[in-house]
Amino acid sequence: MIELLSNRRSIRKFTAQAVSDEHLEKLLAAALLAPSSKDTRPVELVAVRDKTTIETLAACRDSGTMPLRTAALVLAVTADTLKADVWVENASIAAILVQLEAERLGLGSTWVQMRLRTNGDRSAEAEVRKTLGIPENYGVLCLLAIGHKDEIKQPRQLDAADWARTHKERF
């Protein structure tokens, strides 16, 4: 697990190669297996492969959407806000599990935040909802840009400063 976590890096450039149906099924399975508060399972993903729709999604936010422009697959991570008051946490867990599965499969991914982001004076979240036909009671946490890596990043290494920041013994 530590090796998988070290190797998972945000990939912002992807090749044109499609993500296979088999890989898509495994990515969706990772989200379906995510724990949720009170086992409410409010998280739903919308898979998008159509390049025109992906371009429209990239325009739903002012900036920070470059990874979407070359992604072969975009997963909109949404959750029914009527099922869980902690939908953000539930969706976050599902999203990172999808990203870890993408890494395990040799794919790259990047989280593109939509919740609390804007498109001019409009909500980026509302723009995604409109583009994908997502009901109003669903929150849109993020879009996951996924594809075959077109950049190489070195694994993250932990150093003494990282350990000092995160590990404090209590007596």
Side-chain angles (χ1 to χ4, degrees), residues 87-88 112-118 123-125 139-142:
W87 72 268
V88 172
V112 179
Q113 182 73 14
M114 289 292 146
R115 183 175 172 272
L116 303 178
R117 297 299 181 261
T118 59
S123 158
E125 191 176 355
V140 179
L141 178 67
C142 66

Side-chain angles (χ1 to χ4, degrees), residues 45-85:
L45 275 63
V46 178
V48 181
R49 288 180 166 159
D50 178 72
K51 285 308 225 178
T52 304
T53 305
I54 291 173
E55 281 296 321
T56 302
L57 290 170
C60 286
R61 185 178 146 181
D62 292 328
S63 62
T65 62
M66 190 214 28
L68 298 173
R69 299 190 188 282
T70 60
L73 171 67
V74 173
L75 295 179
V77 181
T78 75
D80 186 340
T81 63
L82 301 177
K83 278 189 178 179
D85 62 343

Side-chain angles (χ1 to χ4, degrees), residues 11-138:
I11 300 298
R12 292 176 177 84
K13 289 174 59 181
F14 304 97
T15 70
Q17 183 180 352
V19 173
S20 71
D21 290 342
E22 179 184 343
H23 282 171
L24 174 58
E25 286 181 27
K26 289 180 179 182
L27 295 169
L28 296 175
L32 289 171
L33 291 169
S36 64
S37 175
K38 300 177 187 173
D39 201 28
T40 53
R41 305 211 177 262
V43 177
E44 295 185 25
L45 275 63
V46 178
V48 181
R49 288 180 166 159
D50 178 72
K51 285 308 225 178
T52 304
T53 305
I54 291 173
E55 281 296 321
T56 302
L57 290 170
C60 286
R61 185 178 146 181
D62 292 328
S63 62
T65 62
M66 190 214 28
L68 298 173
R69 299 190 188 282
T70 60
L73 171 67
V74 173
L75 295 179
V77 181
T78 75
D80 186 340
T81 63
L82 301 177
K83 278 189 178 179
D85 62 343
V86 291
W87 72 268
V88 172
E89 292 84 349
N90 293 167
S92 296
I93 294 166
I96 193 59
L97 290 180
V98 168
Q99 288 193 280
L100 289 171
E101 179 63 7
E103 179 61 36
R104 190 191 71 77
L105 294 169
L107 300 171
S109 68
T110 295
W111 174 309
V112 179
Q113 182 73 14
M114 289 292 146
R115 183 175 172 272
L116 303 178
R117 297 299 181 261
T118 59
N119 181 358
D121 60 350
R122 298 181 308 268
S123 158
E125 191 176 355
E127 293 292 303
V128 172
R129 253 193 238 100
K130 183 172 88 175
T131 300
L132 298 178
I134 297 169
E136 282 296 317
N137 60 299
Y138 278 72

